[in-house]
Amino acid sequence: MAVHIPTHLPQGRQTVIRDALIADPASARRRTEAMIRQEYRTSPHWPALQSAVEPVWDAFDIGRIAAVAETSTRILLDLLGWLGRVLTVGGLPARSERSERLADLTAAAGAGTYLCGTGGMTYLDPAPFAARDIAVAPFLPPAAGIWASARRVTSLWALAHLGPAGLAARLRAHTAAPDSLEAAT
């Protein structure tokens, strides 16, 4: 299930996410909340998910896509017991061109590899990454097991079907065998 939030980009396609505005925050909140509730309310994990996503609905009231994205990401990471550190772009030095910016942010995070989805691979310029000695790795999910429908699966779908503990276990299995996503099947 894909939820599309009508967005206003003040600088057009060059607008950075922190400046992207939700066109009608109240309507977007009601619509998104209703769609999520309708899709996942029959899940045995719904009670935990419902209380966890309440801060996301509140983030809509801020009127910025970044607030919704950051809040939902932090909640997902909390539900999965992730103990890492979240870096925000605001204080990090980064150039304005898209691929240069991603390379700069990857370097600032101390990562040696940038994991890129199939959509991003269509526009990504590998030169800024190569200049920083950062590998670009395409993420191509296998066609078997739980990954068979990965292009259509959302984190909420996985949480609703597996629960936070079940999803965390699958992800731990994946990280234990980084050469094979099949370990998480």
Side-chain angles (χ1 to χ4, degrees):
M1 177 186 82
V3 176
H4 299 281
I5 301 169
T7 305
H8 172 66
L9 304 176
Q11 288 84 39
R13 290 177 54 121
Q14 297 302 316
T15 302
V16 294
I17 191 169
R18 73 172 174 259
D19 296 333
L21 304 172
I22 300 172
D24 182 350
S27 175
R29 175 186 175 151
R30 281 190 309 275
R31 183 174 172 264
T32 304
E33 188 175 358
M35 290 175 70
I36 298 293
R37 181 174 285 112
Q38 179 181 353
E39 184 74 19
Y40 300 115
R41 72 176 177 237
T42 60
S43 162
H45 306 286
W46 177 245
L49 294 177
Q50 183 178 16
S51 62
V53 297
E54 288 297 323
V56 177
W57 311 143
D58 295 340
F60 273 87
D61 298 337
I62 296 168
R64 297 191 173 273
I65 290 292
V68 175
E70 182 177 342
T71 302
S72 60
T73 300
R74 286 179 184 265
I75 287 169
L76 172 64
L77 295 173
D78 288 346
L79 284 171
L80 297 176
W82 184 74
L83 301 175
R85 163 175 76 113
V86 174
L87 300 174
T88 56
V89 176
L92 300 175
R95 294 170 283 181
S96 61
E97 192 277 321
R98 187 173 15 195
S99 293
E100 290 174 343
R101 181 175 188 77
L102 292 172
D104 292 345
L105 295 173
T106 303
T113 302
Y114 177 76
L115 184 62
C116 189
T118 54
M121 291 300 289
T122 63
Y123 67 76
L124 192 78
D125 176 4
F129 294 89
R132 289 184 160 273
D133 200 26
I134 297 171
V136 175
F139 178 73
L140 303 170
I146 66 167
W147 303 104
S149 59
R151 291 179 188 237
R152 298 181 310 274
V153 172
T154 66
S155 55
L156 271 178
W157 180 92
L159 284 167
H161 286 79
L162 302 171
L167 180 56
R170 299 267 179 113
L171 292 172
R172 277 192 304 277
H174 165 63
T175 58
D179 293 337
S180 173
L181 289 175
E182 294 173 21
T185 59

